[in-house]
Amino acid sequence: MKTFQSFLLLSLVFLCLVTADPDYDENLLLQPLPPSSLLASFNFRSNASLINFERQHFKYIPRSLGQILQHAKTRELHLRFSSGRWDAENWGARPWGGAKEGGTGVEIWAWVEADTDKEAFARWITLNNALSGLFCASLNFIDSTRTTRPVMTFEPAGDHSNASLSNLHLLHGSLPREVVCTENLTPFLKLLPCKGKAGISSLLDGHKLFDASWQTMAIDVRPVCPSDGSECIIEMEQSVDMVLDIERSKRPRDNPIPRPVPQGDLICDQTKDYASSDACYPLDTVSAQSWSLTEVFGRPIRGSCLATGTQGRTSESLCLSVPHERDVHISDGASQRKNQAGNSRCFTLPPSESFEMLLPQQELQSTSPLLQPSLYASRSFTGHGQERGGVQSLLTNTSPTSTIEFVYFESLPWFMKPYLHTIRARISHHPSPSVGSDIIKSVYYRPALDRRRGTQLELLISVPPASTVVLTYDFDKAILRYTEYPPDANRGFDIAPAVIRLLPASNSTGSGSSLSTPSAAEAVYLRTTSLLLPLPTPDFSMPYNVIILTSTVMALAFGGIFNLLVRRFVGADEVEGYDLGRITARIRGRVLLLRDRIWAREKEKVR
């Protein structure tokens, strides 16, 4: 009994110490998006002192990831798993300013410490191979042909000394063909202290996450040194952002087939000429939809996970961006606080009880404002044929008064060979073609080498107010060896999205020298969608036919030669018990008997 009491006392003391630890924090932001979507932004932050990290004293930063970074001499890491497309026209600006977003598939960039480029690349390959096994991804396929060294696009997000910056090498790689699935989510959750069993991470379910219209998982590890001169720390930040369709998420899992809306529930536009009892043009409803955590995520929040603030008090782990007039029902034991702006509220979760939140259907007079993006970007292929083609990017500045400046970065495979002299930038629908001559401020171009490295293209572009810039260039398509084609060769080859880094407004009026002034925290990122490039594809049935024909000829030739070499030929009189006369007489008798039967049948027919 005393042993049990002592164990219980130690458990309570340990729980109090862990709960009061400020080295871990988690937050969830829920924001409804038009027309019927919900943005869920999960953020998990873990800290460790730099001394403890170097001594491999791991607490909240997992040992599995920390030892990989130490072995590969990686001082800063950024890893992204993404799928879907962010609809900027309806959903507004990207969460976190696009800093936590990655291109379609898998994207990774890191600062590796090394004395030479060759040594840095070797450690980069080691890092990718180790992370490939940790996250069950195909990062080991990032070789020299998929690796670039950006010059203007990325800046270190952590605090590095001037002495260490001289030995840091930035390397970037992407796999746009990679399919993000539950195999990547499971190791992601295992890096968290509560392993997805408690806190806001208990809402992360693979069925819901990968059914989202858009989702991205991010891991950022960087050193942070406070401005007051205190001890530096290693900060690991994990985030999951997804946009869920409320109607689709509310469907039961055992019967997910969509059902049509009953005719009596349709709200029709009666101003249409064809409006009648059997023809309806539906209108968007102005009322807020009803939903709850269990309906959208499939489960409530299972208590809190080490949710404490820096002052030792319980922090607000969940925030909801809705007007104050919106009715919100929460579970007992939780508290809420409304902000003064009148468009959001935050909740404090109970430490050990499940938390449920319900928003009923309600007519609203106002909605929470959405932050609009400063730039719209889209990219597509132009041209036709199997020999050459073109790329066209539309870059629209939404500001009516200020010029926007940004870095445009493309990483192209070696078999897509652009012509640098064909790059053109012009303002759309402008009568004078010479206006776009000063749009491109600076160019960094690293040509491809066949089967050794891809093409790297970085442009510093300036877009005037309320204008759309059309950026185009031409390229040639290389012919691959038949062994270099994937199994689904006729589908095409995925081209990584373009990365755009918006520079701060204070530096947007200068020239190319402004690239060194903005920090990574001030920059805003966005990415275009990936492209599908069709290449000249051989007729793979011809090798199959040749293989079949050759195998048949070889089998016949081999069979005949084998029989000649192995089979033993002997004379008929050499076989024991073999009487040729008896066999001949028996055959002659059979023939005569068969002849007599035939003649007898013919005589019967004549009669």
Side-chain angles (χ1 to χ4, degrees), residues 456-497:
Q456 177 180 339
L457 178 63
E458 292 183 87
L459 305 174
L460 177 60
I461 299 177
S462 177
V463 181
S467 302
T468 298
V469 168
V470 181
L471 178 68
T472 59
Y473 62 85
D474 299 332
F475 65 90
D476 276 349
K477 302 178 183 180
I479 298 179
L480 306 181
R481 300 167 182 163
Y482 81 94
T483 56
E484 296 174 337
Y485 285 90
D488 52 348
N490 291 290
R491 174 183 174 271
F493 291 79
D494 293 89
I495 307 301

Side-chain angles (χ1 to χ4, degrees), residues 88-102:
E89 295 183 357
N90 292 325
W91 301 340
R94 289 164 167 80
W96 311 101
K100 306 294 184 182
E101 180 189 1

Side-chain angles (χ1 to χ4, degrees), residues 397-476:
N397 183 5
T398 60
S399 175
T401 57
S402 60
T403 300
I404 188 171
E405 193 171 88
F406 57 89
V407 177
Y408 182 88
F409 168 65
E410 280 197 2
S411 176
L412 306 176
W414 64 267
F415 48 79
M416 182 178 172
K417 302 179 179 180
Y419 291 105
L420 188 61
H421 71 280
T422 62
I423 295 180
R424 298 288 185 270
R426 61 179 178 85
I427 298 178
S428 178
H429 305 298
H430 200 282
S432 176
S434 61
V435 176
S437 58
D438 296 333
I439 294 177
I440 301 179
K441 303 291 184 180
S442 178
V443 177
Y444 179 85
Y445 175 70
R446 190 169 182 238
L449 297 177
D450 287 354
R451 298 175 179 85
R452 292 178 57 187
R453 75 182 185 197
T455 300
Q456 177 180 339
L457 178 63
E458 292 183 87
L459 305 174
L460 177 60
I461 299 177
S462 177
V463 181
S467 302
T468 298
V469 168
V470 181
L471 178 68
T472 59
Y473 62 85
D474 299 332
F475 65 90
D476 276 349

Side-chain angles (χ1 to χ4, degrees), residues 36-152:
S36 61
S37 301
L38 178 67
L39 169 64
S41 296
F42 298 78
N43 183 258
F44 311 91
R45 180 186 53 81
S46 305
N47 296 333
S49 64
L50 185 59
I51 297 178
N52 291 336
F53 181 79
E54 293 177 350
R55 294 176 179 176
Q56 296 192 6
H57 294 167
F58 300 102
K59 186 176 182 180
Y60 294 133
I61 296 181
R63 178 183 298 271
S64 57
L65 181 60
Q67 290 182 341
I68 291 176
L69 299 180
Q70 292 177 351
H71 178 71
K73 302 294 183 181
T74 303
R75 303 309 176 202
E76 187 171 328
L77 171 68
H78 303 274
L79 179 61
R80 305 288 185 266
F81 299 90
S82 303
S83 64
R85 184 183 70 90
W86 176 267
D87 189 359
E89 295 183 357
N90 292 325
W91 301 340
R94 289 164 167 80
W96 311 101
K100 306 294 184 182
E101 180 189 1
T104 303
V106 178
E107 184 178 358
I108 181 176
W109 67 97
W111 276 265
V112 180
E113 184 178 5
D115 296 330
T116 62
D117 292 343
K118 184 177 181 180
E119 183 181 3
F121 181 75
R123 291 177 177 175
W124 166 256
I125 296 298
T126 301
L127 174 66
N128 289 329
N129 291 337
L131 293 178
S132 175
L134 180 62
F135 291 100
C136 298
S138 303
L139 291 168
N140 56 308
F141 285 95
I142 298 181
D143 53 7
S144 61
T145 61
R146 295 180 173 93
T147 300
T148 56
R149 299 173 182 266
V151 177
M152 302 185 293

Side-chain angles (χ1 to χ4, degrees), residues 24 72 121 125 163 187 272 276 287 291 330 377 420 422 429 431 502 509 549 566 605 607:
Y24 176 76
F121 181 75
I125 296 298
K272 299 295 183 180
S276 61
S287 62
W291 57 273
I330 59 177
L420 188 61
T422 62
H429 305 298
L502 276 65
T509 57
L549 179 61
V566 176
K605 290 180 181 181
R607 292 177 183 177

